[in-house]
Amino acid sequence: MNGLRRALAILTLWVPAATILWTWMLWKGRLPAHLPTHWGVGGPADAVTSAPVFLGWLLGVSTASALIGSIVVLAGRLGEWGPRATGAFTGGAAALVLGMWLGSTVPSLDVTDPFTVHIGAWVLVTLAAPCYGLLQLALLPRGSAPPVEVAADADRPLAAASLPARPWSRTVSSRLLLGATALLLILGVVLFAPSAARDGIGALGWTAVVYLAVVLIVAAFCVFRVTVDARGLRITSGLLGIPLKRIAPAAIAAIEVTTLESMQWGGWGYRVMPGRSAIILRRGPGLVITQHDDRQFAITLDDPEEPASTLLAMAAAADASPA
């Protein structure tokens, strides 16, 4: 079964390149000599590229992605998680290239002037195409990540708080993502405001909708509201109010207050890996929760002793209570 799943994973890596080549052979008599490769906001194409050159670039990128992914999956190196992550990335990259190809060629079928081509809803297909890489995650073994060895800070002693504990809440933020959100908003105004002022908001089309979705996704992860109360630890998006993480007291096996290093947890921001997740905003103090199923969660917090002590007391009470 593992051999069959590995073979299917490799096969899916080559589907985008094969599709590009097959559609070119099928459609080349119906396509113009130059294909549209750039569009204005809500308007027709404003730049074109020679069809063979465009084909060569996209076919080359999709083939290289498939080749790299196949080698890593076949070799089985980089641990258990490496082939899965590499397969997902290269599969998504190859599918993105396929989306670019289809977004340019399908609207251009039987068209003589490529500057009259509108991309329309094909922009959504292109943006959604990287999700194709999720097939690799479904086909290849899940793998596991070793737990992070946590050393409690000697100068931050932790003891269980006396019950009943009062609710605790703080807002934490990432300056990097806040800056990225502001930059995206300013860029969006520069890109879309002139067209909206000239032709109305309805003329913006799908491009503006997709751009707004990207801004909202970034905004959702730049400010976090961290709450500790009788329900345990709860983390929500500070700007959108979306629940992101919940850990009940009964699920907590251990809590440590320590200095968090981004590389131990997969980088900055909201990170998810097999067996552990984290919200890392900078190098510095934070708390690490280990659950009874050995999953770990870490979050950057200033003065994390109070929420950690409260959670420790609630976890001890939950363990002492009869089943």
Side-chain angles (χ1 to χ4, degrees), residues 220-299:
F221 293 98
C222 63
V223 179
F224 304 92
R225 187 67 178 173
V226 185
T227 302
V228 175
D229 56 22
R231 292 170 289 182
L233 176 72
R234 294 181 296 121
I235 299 174
T236 58
S237 167
L239 295 182
L240 304 182
I242 301 172
L244 300 175
K245 188 72 177 182
R246 292 182 180 180
I247 301 178
I252 298 175
I255 301 174
E256 297 287 353
V257 170
T258 187
T259 299
L260 298 180
E261 302 282 354
S262 63
M263 295 308 296
Q264 288 183 309
W265 299 92
W268 307 101
Y270 194 173
R271 318 303 297 176
V272 179
M273 298 181 67
R276 63 176 182 258
S277 58
I279 296 175
I280 306 296
L281 306 179
R282 61 186 178 278
R283 182 189 184 279
L287 61 85
V288 178
I289 298 174
T290 302
Q291 301 181 60
H292 287 295
D293 59 5
D294 293 329
R295 288 184 297 169
Q296 291 179 304
F297 175 73
I299 182 169

Side-chain angles (χ1 to χ4, degrees), residues 97-186:
V97 171
L98 173 60
M100 295 168 60
W101 170 256
L102 294 177
S104 177
T105 55
V106 174
S108 301
L109 290 172
D110 302 317
V111 171
T112 56
D113 183 2
F115 286 100
T116 64
V117 174
H118 287 72
I119 191 171
W122 278 100
V123 68
L124 297 180
V125 175
T126 302
L127 293 173
C131 295
Y132 181 81
L134 296 176
L135 278 175
Q136 300 293 311
L137 301 183
L139 290 170
L140 294 172
R142 184 178 183 86
S144 60
V148 174
E149 295 294 334
V150 180
D153 286 355
D155 58 348
R156 294 177 178 270
L158 180 61
S162 301
L163 293 179
R166 60 183 182 180
W168 177 94
S169 186
R170 292 290 187 277
T171 298
V172 296
S173 61
S174 167
R175 293 180 180 178
L176 177 63
L177 291 179
L178 281 170
T181 301
L183 182 61
L184 286 172
L185 287 172
I186 295 171

